[in-house]
mmCIF file of all heavy atoms in Angstrom:
data_model
loop_
_atom_site.group_PDB
_atom_site.id
_atom_site.type_symbol
_atom_site.label_atom_id
_atom_site.label_comp_id
_atom_site.label_asym_id
_atom_site.label_seq_id
_atom_site.Cartn_x
_atom_site.Cartn_y
_atom_site.Cartn_z
ATOM 1 N N TYR A 1 18.175 -4.100 12.419
ATOM 2 C CA TYR A 1 18.300 -2.742 12.969
ATOM 3 C C TYR A 1 17.096 -1.894 12.565
ATOM 4 O O TYR A 1 16.500 -1.201 13.401
ATOM 5 C CB TYR A 1 19.602 -2.082 12.496
ATOM 6 C CG TYR A 1 19.608 -0.605 12.784
ATOM 7 C CD1 TYR A 1 19.873 -0.136 14.069
ATOM 8 C CD2 TYR A 1 19.300 0.319 11.797
ATOM 9 C CE1 TYR A 1 19.844 1.224 14.358
ATOM 10 C CE2 TYR A 1 19.269 1.678 12.071
ATOM 11 C CZ TYR A 1 19.546 2.122 13.346
ATOM 12 O OH TYR A 1 19.495 3.464 13.620
ATOM 13 N N ARG A 2 16.727 -1.939 11.277
ATOM 14 C CA ARG A 2 15.595 -1.134 10.805
ATOM 15 C C ARG A 2 14.287 -1.551 11.473
ATOM 16 O O ARG A 2 13.474 -0.702 11.839
ATOM 17 C CB ARG A 2 15.461 -1.244 9.288
ATOM 18 C CG ARG A 2 16.559 -0.539 8.539
ATOM 19 C CD ARG A 2 16.326 -0.665 7.052
ATOM 20 N NE ARG A 2 17.454 -0.179 6.281
ATOM 21 C CZ ARG A 2 17.526 -0.256 4.960
ATOM 22 N NH1 ARG A 2 16.517 -0.784 4.268
ATOM 23 N NH2 ARG A 2 18.580 0.200 4.326
ATOM 24 N N LEU A 3 14.076 -2.855 11.646
ATOM 25 C CA LEU A 3 12.853 -3.321 12.297
ATOM 26 C C LEU A 3 12.811 -2.879 13.760
ATOM 27 O O LEU A 3 11.751 -2.487 14.273
ATOM 28 C CB LEU A 3 12.710 -4.834 12.168
ATOM 29 C CG LEU A 3 12.466 -5.362 10.748
ATOM 30 C CD1 LEU A 3 12.479 -6.889 10.733
ATOM 31 C CD2 LEU A 3 11.165 -4.826 10.173
ATOM 32 N N ARG A 4 13.960 -2.916 14.433
ATOM 33 C CA ARG A 4 14.013 -2.422 15.822
ATOM 34 C C ARG A 4 13.717 -0.920 15.859
ATOM 35 O O ARG A 4 13.021 -0.440 16.748
ATOM 36 C CB ARG A 4 15.383 -2.703 16.449
ATOM 37 C CG ARG A 4 15.553 -4.125 16.945
ATOM 38 C CD ARG A 4 16.789 -4.301 17.821
ATOM 39 N NE ARG A 4 18.015 -3.760 17.259
ATOM 40 C CZ ARG A 4 18.815 -4.407 16.401
ATOM 41 N NH1 ARG A 4 18.510 -5.624 15.992
ATOM 42 N NH2 ARG A 4 19.922 -3.846 15.959
ATOM 43 N N ARG A 5 14.235 -0.204 14.875
ATOM 44 C CA ARG A 5 13.986 1.245 14.804
ATOM 45 C C ARG A 5 12.495 1.521 14.575
ATOM 46 O O ARG A 5 11.931 2.445 15.170
ATOM 47 C CB ARG A 5 14.838 1.848 13.681
ATOM 48 C CG ARG A 5 14.828 3.331 13.653
ATOM 49 C CD ARG A 5 15.647 3.914 14.810
ATOM 50 N NE ARG A 5 15.562 5.364 14.726
ATOM 51 C CZ ARG A 5 15.167 6.135 15.723
ATOM 52 N NH1 ARG A 5 14.861 5.610 16.892
ATOM 53 N NH2 ARG A 5 15.086 7.434 15.573
ATOM 54 N N ILE A 6 11.854 0.727 13.745
ATOM 55 C CA ILE A 6 10.412 0.854 13.515
ATOM 56 C C ILE A 6 9.660 0.628 14.826
ATOM 57 O O ILE A 6 8.731 1.368 15.163
ATOM 58 C CB ILE A 6 9.941 -0.113 12.409
ATOM 59 C CG1 ILE A 6 10.457 0.359 11.044
ATOM 60 C CG2 ILE A 6 8.423 -0.266 12.408
ATOM 61 C CD1 ILE A 6 10.315 -0.668 9.924
ATOM 62 N N GLU A 7 10.075 -0.372 15.578
ATOM 63 C CA GLU A 7 9.446 -0.634 16.885
ATOM 64 C C GLU A 7 9.617 0.559 17.824
ATOM 65 O O GLU A 7 8.663 0.973 18.487
ATOM 66 C CB GLU A 7 10.057 -1.881 17.528
ATOM 67 C CG GLU A 7 9.632 -3.171 16.889
ATOM 68 C CD GLU A 7 10.249 -4.390 17.559
ATOM 69 O OE1 GLU A 7 11.430 -4.339 17.964
ATOM 70 O OE2 GLU A 7 9.528 -5.390 17.693
ATOM 71 N N GLU A 8 10.823 1.114 17.871
ATOM 72 C CA GLU A 8 11.086 2.254 18.746
ATOM 73 C C GLU A 8 10.214 3.448 18.385
ATOM 74 O O GLU A 8 9.634 4.093 19.265
ATOM 75 C CB GLU A 8 12.556 2.673 18.652
ATOM 76 C CG GLU A 8 13.535 1.700 19.250
ATOM 77 C CD GLU A 8 14.980 2.047 18.898
ATOM 78 O OE1 GLU A 8 15.237 3.150 18.350
ATOM 79 O OE2 GLU A 8 15.854 1.210 19.165
ATOM 80 N N LEU A 9 10.140 3.753 17.104
ATOM 81 C CA LEU A 9 9.415 4.948 16.659
ATOM 82 C C LEU A 9 7.898 4.797 16.771
ATOM 83 O O LEU A 9 7.204 5.769 17.057
ATOM 84 C CB LEU A 9 9.794 5.292 15.219
ATOM 85 C CG LEU A 9 11.229 5.769 15.025
ATOM 86 C CD1 LEU A 9 11.569 5.840 13.547
ATOM 87 C CD2 LEU A 9 11.435 7.129 15.696
ATOM 88 N N THR A 10 7.388 3.601 16.515
ATOM 89 C CA THR A 10 5.938 3.399 16.551
ATOM 90 C C THR A 10 5.438 3.022 17.943
ATOM 91 O O THR A 10 4.240 3.134 18.214
ATOM 92 C CB THR A 10 5.501 2.293 15.569
ATOM 93 O OG1 THR A 10 6.108 1.052 15.955
ATOM 94 C CG2 THR A 10 5.870 2.651 14.136
ATOM 95 N N GLY A 11 6.331 2.540 18.794
ATOM 96 C CA GLY A 11 5.919 2.063 20.104
ATOM 97 C C GLY A 11 5.244 0.710 20.050
ATOM 98 O O GLY A 11 4.576 0.303 20.999
ATOM 99 N N LEU A 12 5.417 0.007 18.915
ATOM 100 C CA LEU A 12 4.786 -1.304 18.733
ATOM 101 C C LEU A 12 5.835 -2.402 18.780
ATOM 102 O O LEU A 12 6.987 -2.199 18.424
ATOM 103 C CB LEU A 12 4.037 -1.343 17.398
ATOM 104 C CG LEU A 12 2.907 -0.326 17.249
ATOM 105 C CD1 LEU A 12 2.363 -0.341 15.832
ATOM 106 C CD2 LEU A 12 1.805 -0.594 18.258
ATOM 107 N N ASP A 13 5.414 -3.587 19.214
ATOM 108 C CA ASP A 13 6.275 -4.759 19.302
ATOM 109 C C ASP A 13 5.947 -5.672 18.127
ATOM 110 O O ASP A 13 4.866 -6.273 18.088
ATOM 111 C CB ASP A 13 6.018 -5.465 20.638
ATOM 112 C CG ASP A 13 6.809 -6.745 20.812
ATOM 113 O OD1 ASP A 13 7.551 -7.151 19.889
ATOM 114 O OD2 ASP A 13 6.672 -7.356 21.893
ATOM 115 N N LEU A 14 6.867 -5.790 17.165
ATOM 116 C CA LEU A 14 6.611 -6.598 15.975
ATOM 117 C C LEU A 14 6.537 -8.094 16.278
ATOM 118 O O LEU A 14 6.113 -8.871 15.432
ATOM 119 C CB LEU A 14 7.671 -6.324 14.898
ATOM 120 C CG LEU A 14 7.665 -4.895 14.355
ATOM 121 C CD1 LEU A 14 8.773 -4.704 13.322
ATOM 122 C CD2 LEU A 14 6.317 -4.537 13.769
ATOM 123 N N GLY A 15 6.903 -8.488 17.476
ATOM 124 C CA GLY A 15 6.750 -9.876 17.892
ATOM 125 C C GLY A 15 5.347 -10.181 18.397
ATOM 126 O O GLY A 15 4.990 -11.339 18.620
ATOM 127 N N ARG A 16 4.545 -9.160 18.556
ATOM 128 C CA ARG A 16 3.174 -9.293 19.071
ATOM 129 C C ARG A 16 2.186 -9.208 17.906
ATOM 130 O O ARG A 16 2.178 -8.242 17.156
ATOM 131 C CB ARG A 16 2.929 -8.163 20.072
ATOM 132 C CG ARG A 16 1.695 -8.284 20.876
ATOM 133 C CD ARG A 16 1.669 -7.233 21.993
ATOM 134 N NE ARG A 16 0.326 -7.236 22.528
ATOM 135 C CZ ARG A 16 -0.520 -6.239 22.410
ATOM 136 N NH1 ARG A 16 -0.160 -5.108 21.834
ATOM 137 N NH2 ARG A 16 -1.742 -6.340 22.904
ATOM 138 N N SER A 17 1.349 -10.210 17.752
ATOM 139 C CA SER A 17 0.413 -10.283 16.619
ATOM 140 C C SER A 17 -0.464 -9.046 16.499
ATOM 141 O O SER A 17 -0.647 -8.510 15.407
ATOM 142 C CB SER A 17 -0.479 -11.523 16.731
ATOM 143 O OG SER A 17 0.288 -12.686 16.673
ATOM 144 N N GLU A 18 -1.030 -8.592 17.603
ATOM 145 C CA GLU A 18 -1.924 -7.439 17.562
ATOM 146 C C GLU A 18 -1.192 -6.178 17.076
ATOM 147 O O GLU A 18 -1.727 -5.393 16.301
ATOM 148 C CB GLU A 18 -2.536 -7.195 18.936
ATOM 149 C CG GLU A 18 -3.606 -6.123 18.913
ATOM 150 C CD GLU A 18 -4.333 -6.007 20.243
ATOM 151 O OE1 GLU A 18 -4.531 -7.040 20.921
ATOM 152 O OE2 GLU A 18 -4.695 -4.877 20.594
ATOM 153 N N ASP A 19 0.048 -5.989 17.509
ATOM 154 C CA ASP A 19 0.828 -4.832 17.068
ATOM 155 C C ASP A 19 1.189 -4.927 15.591
ATOM 156 O O ASP A 19 1.148 -3.923 14.871
ATOM 157 C CB ASP A 19 2.095 -4.687 17.908
ATOM 158 C CG ASP A 19 1.814 -4.163 19.316
ATOM 159 O OD1 ASP A 19 0.639 -3.861 19.628
ATOM 160 O OD2 ASP A 19 2.771 -4.060 20.097
ATOM 161 N N ARG A 20 1.544 -6.122 15.131
ATOM 162 C CA ARG A 20 1.827 -6.308 13.696
ATOM 163 C C ARG A 20 0.588 -6.002 12.872
ATOM 164 O O ARG A 20 0.669 -5.350 11.832
ATOM 165 C CB ARG A 20 2.303 -7.738 13.401
ATOM 166 C CG ARG A 20 3.736 -7.997 13.750
ATOM 167 C CD ARG A 20 4.265 -9.290 13.160
ATOM 168 N NE ARG A 20 3.386 -10.431 13.263
ATOM 169 C CZ ARG A 20 3.345 -11.282 14.294
ATOM 170 N NH1 ARG A 20 4.154 -11.115 15.323
ATOM 171 N NH2 ARG A 20 2.515 -12.293 14.292
ATOM 172 N N LEU A 21 -0.569 -6.464 13.340
ATOM 173 C CA LEU A 21 -1.811 -6.204 12.625
ATOM 174 C C LEU A 21 -2.114 -4.712 12.587
ATOM 175 O O LEU A 21 -2.484 -4.167 11.541
ATOM 176 C CB LEU A 21 -2.982 -6.975 13.246
ATOM 177 C CG LEU A 21 -4.334 -6.744 12.587
ATOM 178 C CD1 LEU A 21 -4.309 -7.159 11.120
ATOM 179 C CD2 LEU A 21 -5.419 -7.503 13.333
ATOM 180 N N LEU A 22 -1.954 -4.029 13.711
ATOM 181 C CA LEU A 22 -2.183 -2.590 13.747
ATOM 182 C C LEU A 22 -1.260 -1.870 12.768
ATOM 183 O O LEU A 22 -1.690 -0.983 12.022
ATOM 184 C CB LEU A 22 -1.978 -2.046 15.162
ATOM 185 C CG LEU A 22 -2.112 -0.532 15.325
ATOM 186 C CD1 LEU A 22 -3.468 -0.036 14.839
ATOM 187 C CD2 LEU A 22 -1.868 -0.141 16.764
ATOM 188 N N LEU A 23 -0.010 -2.254 12.723
ATOM 189 C CA LEU A 23 0.938 -1.627 11.804
ATOM 190 C C LEU A 23 0.578 -1.932 10.353
ATOM 191 O O LEU A 23 0.662 -1.062 9.482
ATOM 192 C CB LEU A 23 2.361 -2.098 12.126
ATOM 193 C CG LEU A 23 3.498 -1.275 11.572
ATOM 194 C CD1 LEU A 23 3.369 0.194 11.939
ATOM 195 C CD2 LEU A 23 4.821 -1.828 12.078
ATOM 196 N N TYR A 24 0.135 -3.153 10.090
ATOM 197 C CA TYR A 24 -0.279 -3.535 8.739
ATOM 198 C C TYR A 24 -1.507 -2.731 8.302
ATOM 199 O O TYR A 24 -1.561 -2.210 7.187
ATOM 200 C CB TYR A 24 -0.565 -5.037 8.693
ATOM 201 C CG TYR A 24 -0.865 -5.558 7.315
ATOM 202 C CD1 TYR A 24 0.101 -5.531 6.325
ATOM 203 C CD2 TYR A 24 -2.113 -6.077 7.012
ATOM 204 C CE1 TYR A 24 -0.168 -6.010 5.045
ATOM 205 C CE2 TYR A 24 -2.391 -6.560 5.742
ATOM 206 C CZ TYR A 24 -1.415 -6.530 4.765
ATOM 207 O OH TYR A 24 -1.692 -6.999 3.503
ATOM 208 N N VAL A 25 -2.481 -2.609 9.179
ATOM 209 C CA VAL A 25 -3.680 -1.822 8.866
ATOM 210 C C VAL A 25 -3.298 -0.364 8.652
ATOM 211 O O VAL A 25 -3.792 0.293 7.736
ATOM 212 C CB VAL A 25 -4.755 -1.979 9.967
ATOM 213 C CG1 VAL A 25 -5.863 -0.961 9.827
ATOM 214 C CG2 VAL A 25 -5.315 -3.397 9.957
#
């Protein structure tokens, strides 16, 4: 639930490598 909420708020897809990298950076 929290990870889905993070996706909703950031507009990023945690299943997508580029989005995970952007969030990590």
Side-chain angles (χ1 to χ4, degrees):
Y1 167 78
R2 289 182 189 176
L3 293 174
R4 280 192 310 275
R5 189 73 181 126
I6 289 167
E7 287 180 322
E8 291 169 10
L9 292 170
T10 62
L12 299 173
D13 177 358
L14 296 178
R16 191 171 168 247
S17 297
E18 187 173 325
D19 286 357
R20 282 193 316 271
L21 179 60
L22 177 57
L23 197 53
Y24 186 65
V25 168

